[in-house]
Amino acid sequence: MTKRPSPQLPFITRLKLVIYSFFTSIAIRKNRTVNRHFLSLIDPTAKSNPNPKSGVCTSDLNIDPSRNLWIRIFTPKKEEKKGQKLPLIIYFHGGGFVFFTPASRSYDSWCRRICSELQAIVISVNYRLAPEHKCPAPYDDGMDVLKFLDSGQIDSESVEILSGLDLDLDLENCYLAGDTAGANIAHHMARRWAVSIENWEKIKIKGIMAIQPFFGGEERTEAEIRNQYMPVLTIPRIDWYWKAFLPQGADRNHEAAHVFGENSPKLEELFPPILVVVGGFDILKDWQLKYYDWLKRQGKNVKLVEYPEAIHAFYAFPNIEDSGKLIEVMTEFIGKQKSD
């Protein structure tokens, strides 16, 4: 019997993934509801902190308390970047549209790394989650954050951690970024921004960083079959996420998931340059490559970076070598877009 290929992971990383998979499987129910109370016990959170931690200051800002729409702002510590214009990254976390917030410790740590190592201001969005809030709720929340930023309501006077930097947000050097479901949101945000370009006064999206984007369809791909026993994601889990997120009665060929379908509308002319990151052991790999090929056929400026040994969500583990390589690629991508 042929041995199934397996990624080489540090023991502590493999243990964390097993624990995550076990407890989240308990939290999701067959009737497509989620035990949020149980999740609150197993998803450790980090409070915002205006004092430097790992070289980064953070602050939370409410945008619409009625729907719990808020953002966490990450800035490099004051004395290092005072008076300099920094790139702005609007980040959408992953979790199958179902799990996590910007305060989840894993995403607080990841956004701190991005902020510190890319030397950028990061705004992490707390969008509404499925199944309580189905498609297009996260897209609507993302758009409202963009509109809030475009209105100029965030500046060095309204946000304490920005005042020490002696700068306002550089909305003309803005990037959308996200991992898995968050990368899906970033794609749809970019389309909405591009189709309504005349309505934006300040914000200019220079690029998108789509880390292992979550797309799909009704067919089963080779990667889904080959990698269905990898950590974090399984075929039943993927199907559960889509059923929880997509509108009632929709299948996985819905435009939110199957963005590259035969009947998909042509991408907008101003759709920004995009970095697509793929992992060789990711169950979603083939859908991500289909996305890349579709972008190329549409004539878009797209860069593909593939890590053959990477699992789904590899970037969240600093002890995985490819996680550090990804930070370098993201830095280069922003540098290139800024110079173009």
Side-chain angles (χ1 to χ4, degrees):
M1 184 175 180
T2 304
K3 185 177 180 181
R4 187 184 299 118
S6 178
Q8 299 299 310
L9 297 173
F11 172 77
I12 190 65
T13 300
R14 191 175 292 275
L15 179 62
K16 286 179 179 179
L17 291 169
V18 169
I19 292 172
Y20 165 82
S21 298
F22 174 74
F23 283 112
T24 53
S25 67
I26 294 175
I28 60 176
R29 305 180 177 115
K30 291 182 179 179
N31 65 355
R32 293 197 290 279
T33 61
V34 175
N35 188 334
R36 293 287 176 199
H37 175 70
F38 179 73
L39 274 181
S40 69
L41 302 177
I42 63 171
D43 180 21
T45 59
K47 293 182 178 180
S48 61
N49 188 350
N51 299 311
K53 178 184 176 184
S54 302
V56 174
C57 308
T58 57
S59 179
D60 294 342
L61 183 65
N62 278 315
I63 294 179
D64 185 352
S66 70
R67 52 180 155 145
N68 198 29
L69 178 59
W70 56 272
I71 56 177
R72 175 160 292 183
I73 306 170
F74 300 77
T75 65
K77 63 182 180 180
K78 300 172 183 179
E79 58 269 24
E80 288 188 355
K81 291 294 174 182
K82 188 169 183 177
Q84 295 187 33
K85 281 208 164 188
L86 304 178
L88 171 63
I89 299 173
I90 302 173
Y91 196 89
F92 299 93
H93 65 80
F97 302 104
V98 173
F99 299 131
F100 304 121
T101 77
S104 296
R105 193 174 297 167
S106 57
Y107 279 102
D108 181 81
S109 298
W110 172 232
C111 286
R112 283 179 184 276
R113 283 183 66 198
I114 295 173
C115 174
S116 176
E117 300 195 41
L118 274 64
Q119 287 300 287
I121 295 174
V122 178
I123 290 180
S124 184
V125 180
N126 188 67
Y127 56 86
R128 287 171 291 175
L129 299 174
E132 297 88 343
H133 305 282
K134 289 180 171 288
C135 174
Y139 307 152
D140 293 340
D141 291 346
M143 281 300 291
D144 286 341
V145 169
L146 290 185
K147 291 174 182 176
F148 186 83
L149 295 172
D150 194 62
S151 69
Q153 295 185 61
I154 300 182
D155 55 30
S156 57
E157 294 184 3
S158 61
V159 181
E160 179 186 355
I161 60 174
L162 292 177
S163 62
L165 290 171
D166 191 27
L167 58 80
D168 293 335
L169 299 181
D170 187 2
L171 296 177
E172 293 188 353
N173 190 24
C174 178
Y175 300 83
L176 300 177
D179 62 287
T180 66
N184 176 298
I185 296 171
H187 164 85
H188 288 283
M189 290 304 91
R191 295 204 67 173
R192 289 190 180 195
W193 172 82
V195 78
S196 59
I197 192 68
E198 69 279 356
N199 297 327
W200 302 97
E201 294 182 4
K202 300 177 180 179
I203 199 163
K204 182 178 181 181
I205 298 175
K206 299 288 290 291
I208 310 166
M209 292 177 282
I211 306 169
Q212 297 183 299
F214 187 23
F215 298 119
E218 281 298 294
E219 66 176 288
R220 291 296 181 208
T221 68
E222 289 184 14
E224 285 177 323
I225 302 301
R226 183 175 62 253
N227 294 331
Q228 63 179 308
Y229 302 105
M230 291 297 113
V232 183
L233 273 184
T234 61
I235 289 177
R237 178 70 67 93
I238 290 172
D239 292 351
W240 195 99
Y241 285 156
W242 286 127
K243 288 177 181 177
F245 174 65
L246 293 174
Q248 191 69 33
D251 63 21
R252 295 188 301 275
N253 284 338
H254 185 274
E255 61 182 357
H258 202 63
V259 298
F260 29 66
E262 292 182 3
N263 298 321
S264 298
K266 183 176 175 61
L267 276 174
E268 295 72 21
E269 182 179 352
L270 294 176
F271 187 85
I274 180 169
L275 169 69
V276 178
V277 178
V278 177
F281 284 104
D282 188 356
I283 194 172
L284 301 174
K285 173 185 175 180
D286 288 347
W287 293 118
Q288 293 154 4
L289 293 176
K290 285 177 183 287
Y291 179 57
Y292 167 76
D293 289 339
W294 175 68
L295 291 169
K296 291 289 287 185
R297 292 196 305 271
Q298 297 263 341
K300 296 307 172 184
N301 181 349
V302 54
K303 177 180 175 63
L304 175 69
V305 176
E306 185 171 358
Y307 299 101
E309 298 298 315
I311 60 168
H312 189 77
F314 72 95
Y315 44 85
F317 300 94
N319 60 340
I320 294 180
E321 184 179 358
D322 286 336
S323 179
K325 292 179 180 178
L326 174 59
I327 288 287
E328 295 175 2
V329 168
M330 293 169 71
T331 303
E332 293 171 1
F333 178 78
I334 287 181
K336 185 177 188 307
Q337 306 316 312
K338 187 175 182 179
S339 62
D340 286 349

